[in-house]
Amino acid sequence: MKSLSWCGPVAAALALLATPALSAQVVDLSLTDPDVDGFIYASGAFDWPPEGHSATATLTFSGLALIDAVFTGNVEERKTWWDEAIGGVWGNEYSLAYDCSLTGGCVVVTSPGTASGVLSTPLGFDRPCTPTTLGDCSSHFFPQFATFDGVFRVSPAARAPYSVSLTISDFTAVPEPAGWAMMIVGFGLVGSMLRRSRRGFAAV
């Protein structure tokens, strides 16, 4: 009897296509008032795209000069494999953390005052788990949440008013070729290295 190893990927792809589109998220940002050195800190949380989907994140700022920002995300991956030494099927879960910055090349400034990037989570896969299995038998991603942290430095002439907004939208299915579940790619977003020391910003 022939193996039906293609059933898993096909079923996963069909399930992906059947997944309803997610609603856009307008992230409620927490903003601090400028400190004595003109620094504003912003933070917020949003849902990471589910397995096999991507989303566009757009940061819009006004009344201030963008110095730095970074997006960080937590994506849980569950893997299953055949362990010949043990003689059975084994698995584990991994919590993967990512961040993206302007200097890292995964964020694009689309216009003065606006920057955006793409977040994506590969489509997982299933296949029979036997002693002849090469590599993992299955791999699936379980996005949790992502956080945005930003640092903005305001010029003396533009201390007020100021505003910062973050929108996560355009959730779409992203079927990828053989590279599904190899790694999280294409995540993105705004700014540069948030967690630089204040001394580093002062040098700008």
Side-chain angles (χ1 to χ4, degrees), residues 4 10 21 26 29 35 48 50 142 150:
L4 298 180
V10 170
V26 178
L29 291 175
D35 60 19
W48 194 269
F142 299 88

Side-chain angles (χ1 to χ4, degrees), residues 34 40 61-64 154 157-164:
I40 295 173
F61 49 93
S62 64
L64 48 77
V154 183
R159 285 291 180 100
Y162 64 89
S163 65
V164 182

Side-chain angles (χ1 to χ4, degrees), residues 20-124:
L22 299 179
S23 300
Q25 302 171 55
V26 178
V27 182
D28 184 16
L29 291 175
S30 172
L31 292 172
T32 67
D33 290 327
D35 60 19
V36 293
D37 296 315
F39 289 97
I40 295 173
Y41 299 87
S43 63
F46 57 93
D47 295 326
W48 194 269
E51 182 174 272
H53 285 70
S54 71
T56 300
T58 303
L59 178 75
T60 304
F61 49 93
S62 64
L64 48 77
L66 176 65
I67 297 295
D68 229 349
V70 67
F71 277 79
T72 61
N74 296 287
V75 183
E76 182 179 298
E77 180 182 9
R78 183 177 300 161
K79 287 188 175 183
T80 306
W81 64 90
W82 182 275
D83 191 327
E84 286 191 88
I86 304 299
V89 178
W90 291 82
N92 207 344
E93 295 182 359
Y94 306 87
S95 182
L96 311 174
Y98 296 92
D99 61 73
C100 188
S101 66
L102 182 64
T103 55
C106 49
V107 176
V108 176
V109 177
T110 56
S111 64
T114 304
S116 65
V118 175
L119 303 166
S120 68
T121 307
L123 182 64

Side-chain angles (χ1 to χ4, degrees), residues 1-13 124-130 132-134 136-138 180:
M1 186 173 180
K2 292 184 178 180
S3 170
L4 298 180
S5 60
W6 51 269
C7 290
V10 170
F125 65 87
D126 290 295
R127 63 172 178 261
C129 198
T130 70
T132 59
T133 299
L134 297 177
D136 298 323
C137 311
S138 68
W180 292 347

